[in-house]
Amino acid sequence: MNIQTIGIVGAGQMGNGIAHVMALAGYDVLLTDVSAEALKSALELVEGNMSRQVGRGKISETDMTTAMARISTTQTLTDLGQSDLVIEAATERETVKQAIFDELLPHLKPETILTSNTSSISITRLASRTDRPEKFMGFHFMNPVPVMQLVELIRGIATDEPTFAACKTVVDRLGKTAASAEDFPAFIVNRILMPMINEAVYTLYEGVGNVQSIDSSMKLGANHPMGPLELADFIGLDTCLAIMNVLHDGLADTKYRPCPLLTKYVEAGWLGRKTQRGFYDYRGEVPVPTR
Ligand code: NAD
């Protein structure tokens, strides 16, 4: 199937990054969000990030102008009906994703491929409630999308080969690398990464170290480019907690128990960079640890 128009649902940190790379690769992008503010700031972010790429000589001024012209926004979800491929990248909550699919499905072309950028929710379960489980799969980008090389492609139990091949072709055209993952909670990257982040929060909770010592230990002692708490703030603590809950519920193993301190930060609305406060406070010139 020839894919040219890509609908993206959710213009948050992932949605704007996906719009960015798709438009640069020559796809027509229709980006939707319930929030007009999110759509406005997504376009500003894409523009700012592309300008930086122009500044570094990675893309030309013309590449940027043409790519920006390929991105349209709408607050009406059903406008995405004519897309060849839909990538849902809304909030990591199953009820939210379900409501989006329910509203969108009657407006889609029969051949449209429907995908979710979910970090952890069962692709098979999401697919089973649609009219096209064979044309449904996981299309999981890493954050920040323009920088990270990997895309996990997750087949649900019913996903057919032409659907997988079509998505793989899109990943190839982006110049990224696809990893095929089976549909088990949190797939590959987050199955390994999130328990490590959760353990870093336990290490903080039990007073083994403070925010700074935990992050520098992992940067200098394990050669990680970012400390686990810094990375958690970058991902979003609500997303981290949601993924831990999916692992805990889906695998029924206490080793995935979300740290109560992670829950507490989320309850406080301290969700990391996107709310200016998490394990670090980002409101000043330099990030200051909150513990
Ligand atoms: P985010 O909070 O930055 O953005 C979510 C956006 O979805 C918001 O702008 C919100 O207004 C919008 N939204 C909520 N309900 C909607 C609806 N009904 N219709 C349209 N838009 C709606 O979240 P994010 O970090 O961009 O995550 C989005 C998805 O990508 C999640 O499924 C998450 O698990 C996944 N993901 C996140 C990361 C990460 O590092 N943050 C990495 C890979 C995948």
Side-chain angles (χ1 to χ4, degrees):
M1 165 180 194
N2 186 33
I3 291 175
Q4 184 48 42
T5 306
I6 299 187
I8 302 169
V9 187
Q13 32 181 6
M14 296 308 290
N16 84 66
I18 300 169
H20 175 138
V21 297
M22 291 297 180
L24 270 182
Y27 292 106
D28 298 318
V29 173
L30 189 50
L31 180 62
T32 186
D33 201 292
V34 280
S35 150
E37 188 51 44
L39 286 171
K40 185 168 166 280
S41 66
L43 282 181
E44 286 165 5
L45 273 166
V46 174
E47 193 160 20
N49 291 337
M50 282 193 194
S51 295
R52 259 199 301 281
Q53 288 180 302
V54 172
R56 285 198 222 105
K58 299 218 162 183
I59 59 171
S60 70
E61 283 276 3
T62 320
D63 292 338
M64 175 174 165
T65 321
T66 343
M68 286 306 297
R70 287 196 194 105
I71 307 176
S72 321
T73 60
T74 174
Q75 268 189 272
T76 310
L77 175 66
T78 51
D79 286 349
L80 269 59
Q82 287 312 302
S83 313
D84 303 317
L85 166 68
V86 171
I87 303 177
E88 172 281 313
T91 311
E92 185 73 345
R93 206 171 312 129
E94 194 159 339
T95 48
V96 170
K97 296 185 187 295
Q98 193 57 56
I100 290 169
F101 295 140
D102 288 347
E103 189 182 339
L104 187 57
L105 279 166
H107 301 270
L108 290 182
K109 299 187 286 184
E111 65 273 24
T112 299
I113 293 176
L114 192 53
T115 69
S116 174
N117 184 49
T118 177
S119 304
S120 59
I121 299 170
S122 164
I123 298 300
T124 301
R125 193 168 60 240
L126 289 173
S128 72
R129 304 190 193 116
T130 71
D131 59 357
R132 62 193 72 206
E134 67 292 341
K135 287 192 170 13
F136 191 104
M137 60 182 289
F139 206 127
H140 184 222
F141 286 89
M142 309 293 130
N143 186 18
V145 180
V147 176
M148 301 297 278
Q149 183 61 29
L150 187 79
V151 179
E152 274 182 303
L153 290 180
I154 305 112
R155 291 179 178 88
I157 204 164
T159 310
D160 65 20
E161 259 334 283
T163 299
F164 183 87
C167 291
K168 170 80 169 51
T169 304
V170 174
V171 176
D172 292 344
R173 183 157 151 196
L174 296 176
K176 295 194 182 289
T177 304
S180 167
E182 290 302 316
D183 182 27
F184 288 102
F187 321 128
I188 297 175
V189 173
N190 284 317
R191 170 77 176 263
I192 300 169
L193 177 65
M194 280 305 152
M196 186 202 70
I197 286 178
N198 193 47
E199 200 58 30
V201 186
Y202 269 113
T203 311
L204 178 67
Y205 175 66
E206 290 168 10
V208 183
N210 60 25
V211 168
Q212 201 120 52
S213 61
I214 292 166
D215 274 352
S216 24
S217 296
M218 293 308 284
K219 281 196 276 192
L220 304 178
N223 227 7
H224 289 192
M226 286 172 100
L229 300 172
E230 194 188 350
L231 179 57
D233 275 358
F234 187 72
I235 294 169
L237 303 191
D238 52 341
T239 300
C240 293
L241 179 61
I243 299 171
M244 284 313 298
N245 278 325
V246 166
L247 281 167
H248 193 228
D249 296 346
L251 299 167
D253 189 327
T254 53
K255 75 178 177 184
Y256 299 114
R257 187 170 72 101
C259 179
L261 185 61
L262 179 61
T263 308
K264 192 192 274 201
Y265 269 79
V266 172
E267 282 173 352
W270 293 15
L271 307 181
R273 277 185 181 271
K274 63 183 167 187
T275 57
Q276 301 253 292
R277 234 182 321 184
F279 293 114
Y280 293 84
D281 187 332
Y282 300 92
R283 291 171 299 172
E285 289 265 296
V286 284
V288 178
T290 52
R291 265 172 188 257

